[in-house]
Amino acid sequence: MAYKRNIDRLPIIPAGAKEHNVTCHYCIVGCGYTAYTWPLKTQGTTDRNWIGEDLSKQQATDTEAWYAPSMYNVVKQDGKDVHLVIKPDVNCDVNSGLGSIRGARMAENRRSDVTGTQRQRLTEPLVWRYGTWQPTSWDDALDLVARVTAKVIDKDNENDLYVSMFDHGGSAGGYENTWGTGKLYFESMKVKHCRIHNRPAYMSEVHSSRDMGVDELNYNYADYEVTDTIFLVGTNPMECQTNLFLNHMVKGMQNGARVVISDPRRTVTVDSCEQVAGAENVLHLPITTGSDVALHNTLFTYIADQGWADADFIAASTFQGDVAVAADSAYPAALGSYEAARAACKMSLAEGAAATGLTEAQIIQAAEWIAKPKDDGSRRKCVTGYEKGIIWGNDNYRAIGSLLNIGLATGNVGREGGGVCRLGGHQEGYYRPSDAHVGRPAPYIDQMIIAGGGKVHHIWANDHFKTTLNASEFKRVYNRRSNMVKEAMDARAGATREEMIDAIVGAINAGGLFVVDVDIIHSQIGQAAHVILPAVESGEMNLTSMNGERRLRLTEKYMDAPGSAKPDCMIAAGLAQALERVLREEGRTEYADQFKGYDWATEEDAFMDGYNKGNPEVTYDRLRAMGNNGVLEPVTGFADGKLTGTNRLYEDGVFTRHGREDGKALFCMGEWRGWQAAGKAQQQASHRFLINNGRANMNWQNWFLDQGNEFVMDRFPVPFIQINPDDMAELGLKAGDMVEVHNDVGATQALVYPEPSARPNETFMIFGAPNGAQGNIVNAGVNELILPNYKHTWANIRKISDATPASAAVSYKSWEVEL
Amino acid sequence: MKCNRLVDVGRRQFLRGGVLGVAGAAAATVLPAGQAQAQQARAMVDYPSNRLGNIADLVVNEPMDIGYPDADSPGILLKIGSPVEGGAGPDGDIVAYSVLCPHKGYYMSYHAADKTLNCPGHFSRFDCEKGGQQVWGHATQNLPQFTLRVDDKGDIYAMGADELIYGRLSNVLEG
Ligand code: SF4
Ligand code: FES
């Protein structure tokens, strides 16, 4: 039976309730919300309330005067219980009052002692003692971390300290927290062995775009509303950037834009575009998985051959000559001029059709919609959005580079209705000292850990167990190595701190790994940790981030942290101070001095120490005044009480992201070369099913919280795998059956969901689930710059059991609307 | 297909046009304004017990428009044709739901072929055979289902709702 809250009345927000600016911290879109709080024993009435409406009447469609039970909770504020409502802001340009299935549950996904939500949140530091985790004070926990860490690091030699740290905004990221961790590991230390939350090394996901001179977030969302064509590649915005789709792409289609979607799968986005624009204005290109470079190069060749390129733009804004950057171990393709790229990427329609599985007519139609001048001779505007389908797909560098070639050739970067941008996952919020010392290609951390590398591992809101590749082996090794330390600690229960440190150091010198996990919940990799430090999320601290159009906002703190949890920047500061003290005690004075400069009292101090130093116009007060519409980065000044920003990058036709003084964009000279990553072709040859994988509307980006949310877990008790019904029949599977998905590198489990639009032998499984990690079956193959190829995995499928009662109760109907 | 959309537009305008003091099937248990007792809400909302129709009026898989708990809260009464959890009546297959989408309150239409309610607003859909579970969509709750009782004459009464109905902060409107 569907989960029901049985809430049939909610407290009414009174007039005069406190209001706080909130940017939804779940996805990149960063929708504006308002958090209302008011004292527990007061409430509004139907005729006297926050909005001045008569609430004794039914409210109309799209009303501002309603909120769902998921938007309500009771939380602590300054130590007192208060009512909390977090509802979408109709005045925010990003979402115009729309919520999503993720963001509109923000309130419900806060920790509450009163309503019992999110009891899984960590509240106190935990230290491994007496065979389990024991709560302790910050001083005690940080002292242990600092003393063990100090044993393995030294001035100019920090290679035995491995660090996994998020680089994003939103969630618990943001400028304050990336700065806190960045200052510690890249300024006080120069840690080389580090990785990012969703990938096994420390690098950009869009190297080629940056190397070509183009920042990956170069437009603003309104560009979708005024364009002629929306070109979506390996992205599913209706599910994953919901209100970007609903509030901007839909408006574009209503204004007449056509849509081209390159995706091996018929996603909900395809269906929704057909609903809005009419099927005749939507072109879905169901390419053979992994053939993106072939499609892009064929489109580029055809567009150029037709004379549809923007010659003036190419002459004025792109590199003239031949090769500007040669291919080498750091550059997986040469970069150069338009003509050089034409020569390198040349692909006929016949070759393109053969590689992509499309017809020549489909490719021609796409090219016409993207680039053919209109009947009156005016240029066609096209905005391009891409995401994990090519970022985590085959041949990342060339796939993105070849796509950007099309945007540059048609003059669609830096112009109204244009842009070639990633659609993004989290918000951004990166402000750190240089990472140049990490090197390029960056060290492949997860494989190094498997090979025995590292002695101490600091983890900041990463969960490798759910989001790495080759995860089966990673978990086996990680558990074994961290257990060696646990056993050593258990064997010395009752020992003094000095004796315990000796025991730990003995274990790590024998191949063990000492693990420190900073997170908001007790994560899966956290099960291996020896010290666990509780962090806070946006709203439990003040936090600044920018969204997918570079819109910078301050989310104001509206509730207390759970227990003694702290912002990551403050935890980093505490750790730096503990290290300084320990190093000084040990007489390592010069090294200790490197850890000075963390005397922050609040996250605002961290903001001023970091982001504000580079952007002196930007302060908390000014951001607060800019409200939920904020300002588009880069911020250019402050006038008339307002921050001024940059509506669109590169409007002057000068490209800078690569750091070239000439300001000229480069084209990518990457020919199509089939499977790039090691082991993909072999795995494909020896397994029946493609296990394509990705995100789903309901629970991506917030699944760590949603594993404790009834509404979500009731819908999908186990991660689903969508399979064609004929394939199901052949395997003897029914909807809801539990299957094992297994191959040469591992196995995982999933719930069978029939999907008539799935192609035979091509399945889709949800990525990053807590109870069925798709990464278990992804092999270790990466690109030259260690970008993982999660998307290309093949496996066999066998039934484990009939549907469990929970799985039998859910709906297995199609996701496509029927109007 | 088009036909449903048009119906929806009409209904939506009707709702937007602001509503509806009309006496409907419902007489809400709201106390007259001004009485002191009105300040003393009970712990649970008191739902009216409203007659929605008779089994004899229902055709399998053809929804009947209803209003519950009052005329301003549109819903459907539906004989599914096979027993479902929460289904009432001798065949265990009679259900009733709110048809205001819990996302932004657009008026949904019934798709008989797969027994779902579908939203023209932003394309959410709900399974009438699974207690109104959201099959896919943007709403943060499953569809409010009305609890039903069928008496021995075959009259069908609604007794309550299990989620908050879009557009009201109390399922039974209070003065
Ligand atoms: S679309 Fe993204 S930012 Fe907007 S409400 Fe949903 S999760 Fe939050
Ligand atoms: S109102 Fe139904 S999906 Fe938005």
Side-chain angles (χ1 to χ4, degrees):
Chain A
M1 204 59 199
Y3 167 72
K4 300 294 173 70
R5 294 182 183 82
N6 278 292
I7 290 176
D8 38 24
R9 182 162 56 191
L10 283 176
I12 294 172
I13 307 171
K18 263 197 242 171
E19 296 182 25
H20 315 255
N21 295 326
V22 172
T23 301
C24 173
H25 56 294
Y26 293 137
C27 93
I28 178 96
V29 181
C31 298
Y33 281 72
T34 307
Y36 297 86
T37 56
W38 70 97
L40 199 58
K41 296 301 174 193
T42 62
Q43 60 181 332
T45 62
T46 52
D47 55 351
R48 293 160 62 100
N49 52 63
W50 88 104
I51 197 161
E53 293 285 342
D54 177 0
L55 299 180
S56 70
K57 296 212 166 73
Q58 170 74 27
Q59 304 298 309
T61 306
D62 279 327
T63 183
E64 228 190 306
W66 186 73
Y67 36 95
S70 64
M71 300 180 201
Y72 173 80
N73 213 333
V74 176
V75 298
K76 285 259 187 319
Q77 186 183 70
D78 301 326
K80 296 198 181 71
D81 289 320
V82 294
H83 295 277
L84 169 71
V85 167
I86 310 179
K87 57 195 290 296
D89 179 358
V90 295
N91 296 313
C92 176
D93 295 340
V94 175
N95 55 314
S96 306
L98 288 169
S100 77
I101 194 171
R102 302 177 295 279
R105 291 186 293 110
M106 245 183 296
E108 184 176 74
N109 269 347
R110 305 326 315 227
R111 186 180 192 282
S112 172
D113 299 328
V114 172
T115 64
T117 52
Q118 290 301 327
R119 302 291 297 176
Q120 61 167 338
R121 288 290 304 275
L122 294 168
T123 56
E124 307 299 331
L126 302 169
V127 170
W128 185 263
R129 261 179 206 147
Y130 327 129
T132 185
W133 294 279
Q134 302 289 341
T136 190
S137 68
W138 279 97
D139 284 347
D140 178 46
L142 288 175
D143 183 74
L144 178 61
V145 174
R147 285 183 192 282
V148 176
T149 304
K151 294 282 185 207
V152 307
I153 55 171
D154 210 346
K155 202 169 163 50
D156 303 322
N157 181 9
E158 286 133 353
N159 287 342
D160 285 336
L161 171 60
Y162 280 34
V163 178
S164 301
M165 52 178 169
F166 59 81
D167 72 338
H168 57 73
S171 205
Y175 288 114
E176 294 78 358
N177 293 331
T178 59
W179 174 249
T181 46
K183 179 168 175 160
L184 175 60
Y185 296 111
F186 288 172
E187 188 176 289
S188 297
M189 292 184 260
K190 284 269 181 287
V191 169
K192 186 177 166 63
H193 291 151
C194 46
R195 62 100 97 179
I196 292 173
H197 55 280
N198 59 4
R199 50 196 191 268
Y202 199 94
M203 72 324 214
S204 165
E205 289 184 305
V206 291
H207 274 301
S208 48
S209 181
R210 295 178 180 183
D211 293 346
M212 292 162 75
V214 181
D215 189 275
E216 64 272 19
L217 303 175
N218 44 70
Y219 57 23
N220 66 72
Y221 285 166
D223 280 315
Y224 285 100
E225 300 171 24
V226 294
T227 192
D228 297 308
T229 301
I230 299 171
F231 184 21
L232 301 174
V233 179
T235 186
N236 180 14
M238 177 60 153
E239 295 207 69
C240 307
Q241 294 84 13
T242 307
N243 289 328
L244 164 59
F245 184 89
L246 291 176
N247 201 37
H248 303 282
M249 294 185 187
V250 164
K251 284 179 184 155
M253 289 181 257
Q254 286 167 343
N255 290 336
R258 295 193 288 202
V259 190
V260 180
I261 303 169
S262 168
D263 197 313
R265 183 166 75 103
R266 182 179 162 86
T267 58
V268 178
T269 297
V270 176
D271 184 56
S272 298
C273 289
E274 289 176 356
Q275 293 290 340
V276 176
E280 66 282 9
N281 291 311
V282 179
L283 176 61
H284 175 212
L285 302 172
I287 63 169
T288 299
T289 190
S291 67
D292 308 83
V293 174
L295 174 66
H296 304 160
N297 283 351
T298 308
L299 286 169
F300 178 56
T301 302
Y302 185 82
I303 288 167
D305 289 351
Q306 297 302 306
W308 296 339
D310 189 328
D312 294 344
F313 176 85
I314 291 169
S317 295
T318 72
F319 173 76
Q320 309 295 306
D322 189 20
V323 176
V325 180
D328 62 19
S329 63
Y331 290 85
L335 307 172
S337 68
Y338 169 66
E339 289 300 342
R342 273 186 81 181
C345 301
K346 193 168 184 55
M347 239 178 139
S348 70
L349 286 171
E351 289 167 335
T356 60
L358 301 173
T359 63
E360 293 186 23
Q362 284 174 306
I363 298 174
I364 291 171
Q365 191 180 0
E368 288 180 347
W369 285 14
I370 290 166
K372 188 180 181 185
K374 298 185 196 167
D375 291 343
D376 65 2
S378 60
R379 67 179 281 277
R380 192 173 293 278
K381 294 184 245 179
C382 177
V383 52
T384 302
Y386 64 91
E387 190 43 42
K388 291 290 192 284
I390 57 173
I391 289 176
W392 285 355
N394 180 32
D395 212 353
N396 163 295
Y397 195 88
R398 294 179 180 204
I400 294 167
S402 58
L403 182 62
L404 184 52
N405 278 349
I406 299 170
L408 288 172
T410 54
N412 271 311
V413 185
R415 296 246 181 93
E416 185 187 77
V420 179
C421 303
R422 70 172 299 182
L423 294 192
H426 290 94
Q427 284 184 74
E428 305 290 333
Y430 189 93
Y431 196 83
R432 276 182 181 153
S434 165
D435 62 351
H437 63 279
V438 172
R440 175 174 162 163
Y444 189 169
I445 294 306
D446 290 23
Q447 287 296 103
M448 291 168 68
I449 289 175
I450 289 172
K455 293 183 171 173
V456 171
H457 189 193
H458 293 179
I459 306 170
W460 299 78
N462 281 223
D463 198 344
H464 306 232
F465 281 24
K466 291 185 310 188
T467 52
T468 189
L469 62 185
N470 199 17
S472 296
E473 186 177 14
F474 182 87
K475 282 182 260 200
R476 273 196 309 275
V477 173
Y478 203 86
N479 282 332
R480 181 174 51 73
R481 295 187 61 196
S482 56
N483 260 329
M484 289 170 69
V485 176
K486 284 183 180 167
E487 280 167 20
M489 294 174 84
D490 291 348
R492 296 305 310 270
T496 63
R497 167 80 19 119
E498 290 70 28
E499 292 166 339
M500 186 58 79
I501 305 276
D502 286 345
I504 293 170
V505 170
I508 59 185
N509 285 335
L513 191 64
F514 181 77
V515 180
V516 181
D517 188 38
V518 187
D519 209 323
I520 63 167
I521 58 164
H522 199 160
S523 67
Q524 293 193 0
I525 198 169
Q527 307 295 319
H530 307 97
V531 178
I532 297 171
L533 303 173
V536 303
E537 280 197 296
S538 177
E540 298 158 352
M541 65 178 288
N542 296 290
L543 189 95
T544 54
S545 295
M546 77 170 190
N547 78 348
E549 54 179 346
R550 296 164 285 100
R551 190 181 294 269
L552 170 65
R553 270 104 22 115
L554 169 69
T555 291
E556 297 177 280
K557 176 176 175 172
Y558 51 79
M559 65 179 282
D560 298 348
S564 70
K566 294 183 185 184
D568 293 81
C569 56
M570 299 306 293
I571 300 172
L575 181 50
Q577 287 162 342
L579 277 165
E580 185 196 350
R581 178 174 46 76
V582 167
L583 291 170
R584 229 173 267 296
E585 261 176 40
E586 293 177 358
R588 300 154 77 184
T589 314
E590 210 187 327
Y591 195 31
D593 286 344
Q594 291 179 208
F595 294 87
K596 291 200 288 201
Y598 292 87
D599 47 353
W600 307 328
T602 64
E603 59 269 29
E604 185 171 3
D605 293 340
F607 181 82
M608 296 307 284
D609 188 54
Y611 188 88
N612 173 270
K613 288 246 171 71
N615 303 272
E617 305 288 5
V618 185
T619 63
Y620 268 22
D621 280 346
R622 290 176 179 183
L623 279 176
R624 206 172 280 124
M626 297 302 285
N628 279 336
N629 283 324
V631 58
L632 270 62
E633 295 189 67
V635 174
T636 54
F638 181 71
D640 303 330
K642 287 192 163 143
L643 291 165
T644 52
T646 310
N647 198 31
R648 188 179 294 112
L649 300 185
Y650 314 125
E651 291 195 289
D652 56 1
V654 177
F655 293 90
T656 48
R657 193 63 172 84
H658 44 24
R660 287 174 62 90
E661 299 219 327
D662 65 2
K664 304 294 185 199
L666 306 177
F667 285 84
C668 178
M669 300 167 60
E671 77 276 9
W672 161 242
R673 53 178 170 166
W675 292 124
Q676 176 276 325
K680 296 297 177 188
Q682 297 89 310
Q683 196 178 58
Q684 180 177 29
S686 47
H687 299 88
R688 172 171 173 182
F689 290 100
L690 171 72
I691 315 295
N692 188 1
N693 57 90
R695 306 157 168 169
N697 191 34
M698 191 171 220
N699 44 14
W700 85 277
Q701 211 64 289
N702 40 315
W703 210 337
F704 49 93
L705 294 176
D706 282 343
Q707 62 189 349
N709 184 291
E710 271 308 308
F711 171 67
V712 170
M713 295 313 286
D714 169 75
R715 177 70 186 103
F716 293 121
V718 179
F720 60 78
I721 184 165
Q722 293 173 321
I723 310 181
N724 175 291
D726 293 338
D727 288 341
M728 282 173 57
E730 227 178 278
L731 295 176
L733 298 174
K734 300 181 303 298
D737 283 355
M738 181 91 80
V739 290
E740 185 162 69
V741 186
H742 57 101
N743 64 9
D744 50 332
V745 295
T748 188
Q749 64 175 27
L751 162 159
V752 173
Y753 202 111
E755 179 49 63
S757 74
R759 294 194 283 206
N761 301 327
E762 295 195 1
T763 68
F764 178 82
M765 184 171 170
I766 189 159
F767 179 82
N771 49 359
Q774 193 274 342
N776 289 359
I777 53 170
V778 181
N779 77 3
V782 291
N783 91 338
E784 298 90 335
L785 300 177
I786 325 297
L787 261 298
N789 182 348
Y790 291 110
K791 298 285 180 185
H792 294 109
T793 293
W794 289 267
N796 293 328
I797 294 175
R798 73 164 82 89
K799 179 164 167 172
I800 297 179
S801 82
D802 288 333
T804 63
S807 301
V810 309
S811 178
Y812 291 96
K813 291 179 181 170
S814 165
W815 295 1
E816 297 198 359
V817 74
E818 296 284 355
L819 293 171
Chain B
M1 269 183 145
K2 284 282 170 271
C3 176
N4 264 332
R5 285 179 190 267
L6 285 180
V7 169
D8 290 328
V9 172
R11 286 174 172 167
R12 231 156 48 223
Q13 298 308 342
F14 175 67
L15 267 175
R16 275 176 187 285
V19 209
L20 297 177
V22 202
T29 56
V30 183
L31 289 168
Q35 289 197 9
Q37 295 95 307
Q39 304 297 322
Q40 300 167 356
R42 302 198 187 178
M44 284 179 66
V45 162
D46 283 329
Y47 283 91
S49 173
N50 291 351
R51 182 180 175 281
L52 302 177
N54 187 281
I55 289 185
D57 305 333
L58 294 177
V59 180
V60 170
N61 209 18
E62 279 185 23
M64 173 191 279
D65 286 340
I66 56 166
Y68 184 80
D70 53 67
D72 294 348
S73 168
I76 56 165
L77 178 65
L78 176 67
K79 183 172 169 59
I80 292 255
S82 53
V84 289
E85 263 192 81
D91 302 328
D93 68 340
I94 301 174
V95 290
Y97 295 102
S98 166
V99 293
L100 293 184
C101 177
H103 179 224
K104 298 296 283 181
Y106 285 61
Y107 201 119
M108 297 195 285
S109 61
Y110 184 68
H111 182 66
D114 75 351
K115 300 177 179 165
T116 53
L117 280 160
N118 291 262
C119 183
H122 317 93
F123 314 142
S124 300
R125 60 200 320 260
F126 301 84
D127 191 341
C128 293
E129 294 182 289
K130 296 284 185 186
Q133 186 170 55
Q134 184 169 233
V135 182
W136 189 93
H138 313 289
T140 51
Q141 62 193 56
N142 295 313
L143 202 54
Q145 180 169 13
F146 303 139
T147 310
L148 300 179
R149 172 175 66 85
V150 182
D151 72 11
D152 38 16
K153 296 194 295 293
D155 284 337
I156 305 164
Y157 293 84
M159 312 283 294
D162 57 10
E163 276 284 3
L164 196 66
I165 296 165
Y166 184 87
R168 41 182 75 195
L169 291 174
S170 171
N171 275 347
V172 175
L173 293 173
E174 297 166 342

